Amino acid sequence: MVTTSTGDAQPPRAPLGSWPTPLEPMPRLARALGLGADDLWVKRDDLIGLGGGGNKVRKLEWTCGAALAEGATVLVTTGAPQSNHARLTAAAGARLGLDVVLVLAGDSGSSESGNLTLDGLFGARVVWAGEGGKDEIAATARHVAGTLRDRGAVPALIPFGGSSALGARGYVECGKELLTQVPDVASVVVALGSGGTMAGLVGSLGPERVLGVHCGAVTEPARVVSDLVSGLSGTHCPPESLRIRLDQVGAGYPVLTEPVMTALTLAARTEGMVLDPIYTGRAMAGLTAAVRAGEITPGRRTVFLHSGGLPGLFGHPPTLARAAAELAVDGDPLSIRGI
């Protein structure tokens, strides 16, 4: 089924999620960071029901809506082996009755468990594109789409990360949700991966209220987000107007850093909230750094956008090993706090 959002002039939209997602307080984490108990809230886009949840569902409502309107029978998209976007494209295809082919970086056996397990469960087919860059992977995806077309299918190419001006509309809508839930929001902190989530939020909230934390998925994050915002609004968004932290990439996109491990542990032990090591963990580490730098201050309402990614945690062996090691750090299973 395809719907339109607000009038016939709007692009078609495929209903995939339940809206609005919850907004919850995080008082213990806020105090641990040096903020007031009512200063920090979390927007739970990890609780979107489809396929394990996450921010890509909002984008896929628009990109899949366009695909259905064009008569598509198969979705083709790209990503890393543990791509949350690939996993949710597979889930969206299952929900909408479309076949899905995922063109993933690397080779068979280069990753396992986590999102890849769910890709298979949802019935997606994987084409391994080798170790080339994004341009080579995109070329492989176009070749796959051409082969499918020659065989009589109607393929639709879904952009990397779901991030296009069309997909970013999902986060324009999210920004509007936030303004109804917390009208006095001063900052929204979000992981900056392929750029569409931040761009949509900037489109509805303005650049001054959105802090993106670069995760290393693109090489020029400010330019990428600027181009997406400009595509949404039709007016130029200067890259220098954007609030972006570049200090949490560390040794690279797939590599766990100490600030991220600290952020994962702090969120889990203060709020029982699970983050992932690639996106939301970096966003939380960036939030921590922003508080220390005085960029985010007590007395002003901050929202952390939880963009999902839990399955990816189980496909990241270094993080799993570090978490398991915490079970008996001092060798005494009865070393309880307060005793």
Side-chain angles (χ1 to χ4, degrees), residues 50-318:
L50 180 75
N55 63 323
K56 305 302 183 182
V57 177
R58 290 188 187 267
K59 302 175 185 180
L60 284 161
E61 286 202 325
W62 296 90
T63 53
C64 289
L68 287 171
E70 294 166 1
T73 60
V74 56
L75 305 176
V76 180
T77 199
T78 62
Q82 288 294 332
S83 167
N84 296 305
H85 165 67
R87 181 243 311 168
L88 283 167
T89 300
R95 172 76 63 86
L96 299 171
L98 301 172
D99 291 323
V100 175
V101 178
L102 307 175
V103 180
L104 303 181
D107 301 292
S108 178
S110 61
S111 184
E112 58 185 17
S113 190
N115 281 311
L116 271 176
T117 299
L118 294 179
D119 295 341
L121 192 64
F122 295 135
R125 294 294 178 262
V126 173
V127 173
W128 294 100
E131 300 299 334
K134 287 190 177 66
D135 289 344
E136 290 84 359
I137 295 169
T140 300
R142 291 192 296 271
H143 175 75
V144 166
T147 300
L148 291 167
R149 193 175 295 110
D150 291 343
R151 294 177 180 179
V154 183
L157 277 168
I158 306 295
F160 168 72
S163 290
S164 61
L166 177 62
R169 285 175 176 264
Y171 273 88
V172 173
E173 297 298 318
C174 181
K176 294 175 182 177
E177 275 181 32
L178 274 171
L179 289 175
T180 65
Q181 292 173 317
V182 55
D184 62 342
V185 61
S187 291
V188 178
V189 180
V190 60
L192 196 178
S194 54
T197 299
M198 181 178 178
L201 291 171
V202 169
S204 53
L205 300 175
E208 69 282 351
R209 288 201 279 191
V210 183
L211 174 61
V213 181
H214 179 39
C215 297
V218 294
T219 56
E220 298 180 77
R223 182 192 60 77
V224 168
V225 175
S226 169
D227 288 348
L228 288 168
V229 176
S230 299
L232 275 170
S233 65
T235 59
H236 179 56
C237 171
E240 60 271 17
S241 70
L242 300 168
R243 297 172 63 195
I244 297 175
R245 293 198 71 93
L246 303 172
D247 57 346
Q248 299 302 321
V249 175
Y253 171 81
V255 181
L256 177 68
T257 69
E258 285 304 316
V260 169
M261 190 66 211
T262 298
L264 296 178
T265 304
L266 185 63
R269 294 183 182 181
T270 57
E271 300 291 349
M273 184 171 68
V274 182
L275 306 177
D276 80 283
I278 306 300
Y279 295 105
T280 52
R282 280 191 168 99
M284 185 59 71
L287 168 59
T288 302
V291 173
R292 289 175 179 163
E295 186 178 357
I296 290 177
T297 56
R300 305 185 73 203
R301 194 65 57 85
T302 296
V303 172
F304 178 81
L305 185 95
H306 194 324
S307 54
L310 176 60
L313 173 66
F314 296 100
H316 200 270

